[in-house]
């Protein structure tokens, strides 16, 4: 393998072009510093997304658009050993990262999420609060194009820039169910352009956002932040997989060694290094960056790199209704959200809580496969009658349960497994806590209750949902004490003063909502700190 | 058909029993010609299915002195259920791939009331819905805690 050294020094090197790396690059671009971003994946072509062709539905379950990197097996992906976890990792590697396949559900954390120790006596408080992030949530909502409705009593006031995703017949049906129970519900905040917005065409309700948006209406960062950041001068190099962060004699990050798409190895020097590789990729890279000065991995004097991994344990409940719901139309995961059970109530038998996100229905193939796995679609003479009772008559709920940090839930390096470039792959060790199990039980019961109240004649549940490891958090946590955290309150590694982390790794707790909006707001907040302190950043 | 293909006509006959004709306008899955698609997706399970098909024909000949495809429909189903019970995985593997292939077929998609087209570029119309339903929620006290 040839090895090439870049003579050009970057002011800022960002690793990862996904949700947070894109936000970081865009925000820093106004400084006119030389900013380079390395991304192991390439650019996606929306014209090639599955919804553009026949057979689109099955591609969700197999091939290049499945959620599991192990099943996809693209060169851009790295394998993950998640044999020791009941929840399997889901991610995507490309410009846009996980936002390429996410559902674009875009809720914020709540004020209480930053004070869980103070309020509920568990885990730790964040060193920052909701008010600190609020302006960055607002900025990110404008950049990503968030659709929603003001006035939600579950949140401090906020003004989404775009009108909400249509409720449709399904949303109305479920909303009436919530009203009968007197439970909270609200149209979901969604990173979906519900009208033409900043060069993006309006959503046309294709349905399966989770195999990529051919319309370009979904706010994936390849169509939001990156076009602007590149126009502002950020250099984005694709198919470049970082092997390690290098350090100099002073213990500062000096750049990154990476392999390009042709297998050539390079070293990119940089004054500032920022990691944005998600809650599994970032600890993997830090642990792969061992040196004489950092024998346990970079920025790991606390021993916490990779520890406190949090997913969101998901419960899923599916209800079968008597009437067609037109559920195959519209953004799959962005109908309505309920936070009736979000804040702690000791009477429930667990601390913290969950969001309930209502799902639209399924396409023809998904209906058949779900019917088969749920034992309600027989073969033989009764097949067609049974299918007709299922088709377009299902609606679902997923509960996103807050996962509390536990040191034994962790990312390490697998001793044998490597990616296509020979770089050690991550290994996941994860167990569900008793608190999570009780919360999942509660969510299944309440989900069944609301679906039946809305008109479902039967419900089915699954908890935990196995392939639901798409929220990766906590593995390089933020804090003021270097003994109990990896980065400080502005995202800088305690051990390496020119190394920043700006992804879900820094979450202290997980909350019970999808994390993308928060991790992007954090990236913008960290970028803001860097910009305001450039003169004395390393003093 | 090459030498390694699943045997016909018994394979198509089995597919026709798993998903029979919907009505006079839509034949069963075998007659729709889904056998090749299903077989191509079976992977390593193709041996299991081949074994099941052989057992089915053998049972038909032993018990009814006729090939499976020559039996009346109700007898075919009876034998198929018997072999499904004795050859675990035979029918299960078949229906996973059969359901996937069948519900992508243009005639089936139209039969369930959809246009035969991918979602893009035409998309779908979706009613905005009655946001007045939220009035009850708006009347509630705030749910979030100060912190």
């Amino acid at each position: 393998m040839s090895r090439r050294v870049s003579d050009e020094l970057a002011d800022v090197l960002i690793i990862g072009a996904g949700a947070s790396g894109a936000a970081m690059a865009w925000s820093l671009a106004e400084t006119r510093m030389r900013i380079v971003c390395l991304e192991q994946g390439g650019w996606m072509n929306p014209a090639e997304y599955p919804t553009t062709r026949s057979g689109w539905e099955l591609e969700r379950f197999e091939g290049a658009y499945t959620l599991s990197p192990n099943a996809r097996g693209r060169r851009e992906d790295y394998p993950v050993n998640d044999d020791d976890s009941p929840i399997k990792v889901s991610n995507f590697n490309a410009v846009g990262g996980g936002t390429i396949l996410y559902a674009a559900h875009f809720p914020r954390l709540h004020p209480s999420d930053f004070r869980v120790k103070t309020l509920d006596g568990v885990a730790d408080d964040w060193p920052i609060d909701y008010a600190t992030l609020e302006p960055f949530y607002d900025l990110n909502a404008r950049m990503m194009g968030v659709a929603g409705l003001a006035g939600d009593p579950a949140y401090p006031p906020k003004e989404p820039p775009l009108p909400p995703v249509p409720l449709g017949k399904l949303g109305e049906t479920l909303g009436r169910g919530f009203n009968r129970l007197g439970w909270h519900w609200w149209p979901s905040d969604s990173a979906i352009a519900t009208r033409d917005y900043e060069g993006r065409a309006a959503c046309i309700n294709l349905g399966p956002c989770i195999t990529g948006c051919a319309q370009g209406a979904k706010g994936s960062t390849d169509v939001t932040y990156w076009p602007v950041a590149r126009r502002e001068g950020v250099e984005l190099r694709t198919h470049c997989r970082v092997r390690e962060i290098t350090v100099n004699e002073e213990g500062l990050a000096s750049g990154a060694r990476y392999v390009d798409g042709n297998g050539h190895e390079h070293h990119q020097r940089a004054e500032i290094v920022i990691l944005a590789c998600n809650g599994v990729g970032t600890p993997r890279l830090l642990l792969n960056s061992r040196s004489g000065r950092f024998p346990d991995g970079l920025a790991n004097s606390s021993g916490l790199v990779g520890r406190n991994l949090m997913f969101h344990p998901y419960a899923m409940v599916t209800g079968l209704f008597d009437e067609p719901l037109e559920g195959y139309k519209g953004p799959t995961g962005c109908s309505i959200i309920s936070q009736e059970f979000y804040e702690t109530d000791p009477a429930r038998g667990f601390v913290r809580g969950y969001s309930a996100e209502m799902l639209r229905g399924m396409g023809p193939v998904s209906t058949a496969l779900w019917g088969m796995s749920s034992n309600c679609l027989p073969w033989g003479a009764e097949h067609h009658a049974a299918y007709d009772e299922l088709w377009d008559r299902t609606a679902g709920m997923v509960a996103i349960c807050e996962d509390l940090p536990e040191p034994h839930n962790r990312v390490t390096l697998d001793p044998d497994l490597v990616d296509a470039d020979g770089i050690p792959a991550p290994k996941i060790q994860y167990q569900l806590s008793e608190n999570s199990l009780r919360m999942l039980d509660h969510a299944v019961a309440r989900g069944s209750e609301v679906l039946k109240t809305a008109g479902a004649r039967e419900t089915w549940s699954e908890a935990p949902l196995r392939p639901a490891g798409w929220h990766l958090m906590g593995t390089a946590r933020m804090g003021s004490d270097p003994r109990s955290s990896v980065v400080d309150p502005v995202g800088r590694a305690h051990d390496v003063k020119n190394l920043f982390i700006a992804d879900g790794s820094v979450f202290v707790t997980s909350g019970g909502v999808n994390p993308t909006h928060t991790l992007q707001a954090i990236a913008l907040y960290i970028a803001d700190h860097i910009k305001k302190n450039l003169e004395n950043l390393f003093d | 058909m090459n030498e390694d293909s699943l045997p016909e006509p018994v394979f198509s006959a089995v597919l026709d029993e798993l998903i029979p004709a919907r009505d006079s306008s839509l034949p069963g899955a075998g007659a729709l010609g889904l056998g090749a698609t299903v077989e191509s997706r079976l992977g390593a399970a193709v041996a299991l299915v081949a074994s099941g098909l052989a057992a089915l024909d053998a049972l038909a000949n032993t018990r009814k002195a006729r090939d499976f495809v020559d039996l009346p429909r109700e007898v075919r189903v009876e034998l198929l259920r018997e072999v499904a019970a004795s050859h675990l995985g035979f029918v299960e593997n078949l229906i996973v791939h059969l359901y996937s292939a069948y519900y992508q077929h243009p005639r089936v998609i139209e039969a369930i009331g959809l246009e035969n087209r991918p979602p893009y570029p035409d998309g779908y119309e979706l009613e905005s819905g009655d946001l007045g339903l939220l009035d009850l929620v708006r009347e509630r006290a705030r749910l979030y805690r100060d912190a």
Side-chain angles (χ1 to χ4, degrees):
Chain A
M1 180 183 293
S2 62
R3 181 166 291 184
R4 302 171 184 189
V5 178
S6 168
D7 289 331
E8 290 192 62
L9 178 68
D11 296 310
V12 179
L13 174 62
I14 300 170
I15 302 172
S20 59
M24 176 66 74
W26 170 80
S27 180
L28 292 180
E30 68 172 316
T31 64
R32 301 298 171 197
M33 293 189 291
R34 180 165 186 245
I35 301 168
V36 174
C37 179
L38 301 176
E39 165 56 49
Q40 62 193 316
W43 286 93
M44 301 302 291
N45 180 0
E48 296 176 355
Y49 286 149
T51 52
T52 61
R53 53 183 172 267
S54 300
W56 57 274
E57 205 181 347
L58 206 53
E59 293 190 58
R60 173 183 165 193
F61 304 109
E62 55 191 41
Y65 296 93
T66 55
L67 292 167
S68 166
N70 298 332
R72 284 193 306 267
R74 299 153 68 239
R75 192 192 181 286
E76 295 88 339
D77 295 312
Y78 54 87
V80 178
N81 180 351
D82 50 16
D83 292 345
D84 291 338
S85 172
I87 298 174
K88 307 303 178 186
V89 169
S90 297
N91 66 10
F92 200 71
N93 295 294
V95 177
T99 64
I100 298 294
L101 298 189
Y102 78 156
H105 234 125
F106 227 62
R108 304 178 179 197
L109 287 177
H110 300 68
S112 64
D113 291 320
F114 297 88
R115 293 288 178 270
V116 298
K117 181 75 169 178
T118 299
L119 292 173
D120 297 323
V122 293
D124 287 298
D125 291 345
W126 291 53
I128 58 177
D129 58 15
Y130 183 88
T132 303
L133 286 188
E134 193 169 28
F136 301 103
Y137 275 129
D138 292 343
L139 173 59
N140 194 52
R142 291 195 296 275
M143 289 301 296
M144 293 292 281
V146 172
L149 186 67
D152 185 352
Y155 278 99
K158 53 186 170 65
E159 295 283 344
L162 289 164
V165 171
L167 293 176
K169 185 175 180 181
L170 183 146
E172 274 193 11
T173 301
L174 298 178
R176 288 195 178 91
F178 279 104
N179 280 351
R180 286 185 200 113
L181 291 167
W183 291 356
H184 168 266
W185 66 284
W186 204 255
S188 301
D189 277 1
S190 311
I192 292 175
T194 45
R195 57 173 166 73
D196 291 354
Y197 184 77
E198 300 291 335
R200 289 156 56 197
C203 176
I204 52 173
N205 305 305
L206 299 177
C209 308
I210 56 175
T211 53
C213 180
Q215 173 78 344
K218 186 177 79 171
S220 50
T221 59
D222 57 329
V223 299
T224 58
Y225 279 110
W226 274 117
V228 189
R230 294 175 80 207
R231 280 201 301 273
E232 296 289 320
V234 176
E235 181 187 354
L236 172 55
R237 292 183 206 154
T238 58
H239 300 289
C240 294
R241 177 176 277 139
V242 174
R243 181 182 296 280
E244 64 174 323
I245 308 300
T246 54
V247 293
N248 62 22
E249 293 175 350
E250 297 169 331
L252 294 172
S254 59
R257 198 173 304 287
Y258 69 96
V259 184
D260 69 19
N262 296 316
H264 297 132
E265 190 154 317
H266 305 258
H267 182 252
Q268 174 63 55
R269 298 186 298 130
E271 296 281 6
I272 300 171
V273 176
I274 300 171
L275 302 189
C277 312
N278 79 44
V280 169
T282 285
R284 176 202 184 200
L285 182 51
L286 291 171
L287 294 172
N288 270 322
S289 301
R290 290 189 169 94
S291 62
R293 188 167 185 134
F294 299 101
D296 298 321
L298 193 59
N300 196 23
S301 66
S302 65
L304 291 174
V305 169
R307 291 193 181 272
N308 298 301
L309 170 68
M310 295 174 283
F311 296 119
H312 281 127
Y314 269 62
M316 182 168 182
V317 186
T318 303
L320 180 60
F321 292 72
D322 290 328
E323 299 295 324
L325 296 169
E326 298 187 328
Y328 59 91
K329 303 176 181 177
T332 322
C334 295
S335 171
I336 57 180
I337 187 170
S338 170
Q339 296 190 320
E340 183 68 24
F341 306 105
Y342 196 89
E343 302 285 356
T344 295
D345 179 350
R348 295 180 194 137
F350 54 85
V351 289
R352 308 299 297 159
Y354 59 88
S355 297
E357 295 179 347
M358 310 311 288
L359 305 177
R360 296 184 200 273
M362 307 177 221
V365 174
S366 305
T367 298
L369 295 178
W370 175 80
M372 181 190 68
S373 63
S374 303
N375 294 314
C376 51
L377 183 60
W379 57 267
E382 296 83 26
H383 178 85
H384 294 297
Y387 188 85
D388 289 346
E389 289 201 3
L390 300 180
W391 166 239
D392 198 24
R393 286 162 172 77
T394 58
M397 184 206 89
V398 289
I400 303 182
C401 297
E402 173 154 356
D403 197 3
L404 292 170
E406 298 180 286
H408 58 262
N409 288 334
R410 64 187 300 203
V411 178
T412 57
L413 297 178
D414 191 277
D416 304 311
L417 193 64
V418 296
D419 64 25
D421 293 306
I423 303 170
K427 175 181 170 63
I428 309 296
Q429 293 162 282
Y430 178 87
Q431 297 173 333
L432 288 161
S433 69
E434 281 300 317
N435 194 65
S436 291
L437 291 169
R438 286 195 291 270
M439 203 183 309
L440 287 166
D441 286 344
H442 186 274
V444 166
R446 298 290 78 77
S448 299
E449 184 176 358
V450 72
L451 286 167
K452 287 183 175 174
T453 303
R457 57 185 157 91
E458 199 169 349
T459 60
W460 292 259
S461 65
E462 181 179 356
L465 199 58
R466 277 173 56 86
W470 39 65
H471 302 161
L472 313 169
M473 300 161 285
T475 49
R477 66 195 306 194
M478 176 184 280
S480 300
D481 186 345
R483 294 168 301 179
S484 58
S485 57
V486 176
V487 299
D488 71 10
V490 291
R492 183 210 310 255
H494 289 299
D495 300 346
V496 186
K497 63 185 180 182
N498 67 338
L499 176 67
F500 291 81
I501 301 176
D503 58 37
S505 305
V506 306
F507 280 36
V508 179
T509 54
S510 71
V513 294
N514 314 58
T516 304
H517 201 5
T518 299
L519 62 89
Q520 288 186 304
I522 288 173
L524 295 173
Y525 152 75
I526 294 170
D528 187 67
H529 170 82
I530 292 173
K531 288 188 289 189
K532 288 177 175 169
N533 295 277
L534 274 178
E535 296 297 321
N536 55 359
L537 194 60
F538 304 136
D539 290 347
Chain B
M1 186 169 69
N2 63 49
E3 289 180 358
D4 298 327
S5 294
L6 293 171
E8 291 290 8
V10 63
F11 181 37
S12 287
V14 166
L15 298 185
D16 277 338
E17 297 309 331
L18 294 176
I19 303 183
R22 186 179 180 89
D23 50 41
S24 59
S25 66
L26 187 61
L32 268 179
L34 295 175
T37 303
V38 172
E39 183 174 350
S40 70
R41 302 180 60 84
L42 279 170
V46 72
L48 192 64
V49 171
S51 169
L53 294 173
L56 201 53
D57 246 345
L59 187 62
N61 279 287
T62 302
R63 195 170 295 169
K64 306 293 181 184
R66 294 164 73 179
D67 288 341
F68 178 78
V69 296
D70 296 327
L71 293 170
R73 297 287 306 276
E74 63 275 15
V75 181
R76 286 193 202 178
V77 171
E78 175 191 324
L79 298 188
L80 186 51
R81 292 196 187 283
E82 190 170 335
V83 172
S86 63
H87 286 66
L88 294 180
F90 166 43
V91 166
E92 290 83 351
N93 276 287
L94 269 181
I95 62 173
V96 168
H97 301 294
L98 178 60
Y99 285 7
S100 299
Y102 183 80
Y103 286 101
Q104 293 185 81
H105 194 283
R107 291 178 64 183
V108 176
I109 289 173
E110 288 173 354
I112 63 172
L114 290 178
E115 296 174 77
N116 175 35
R117 63 171 176 84
Y120 186 84
D122 292 340
Y124 299 101
E125 291 292 327
L126 188 60
E127 294 172 16
S128 60
D130 180 9
L131 293 176
L133 290 169
L134 288 164
D135 289 347
L136 282 174
V137 186
R138 292 180 200 276
E139 290 168 6
R140 291 186 60 168
R142 73 180 205 190
L143 278 74
Y144 67 90
R145 288 186 284 178
D146 282 325

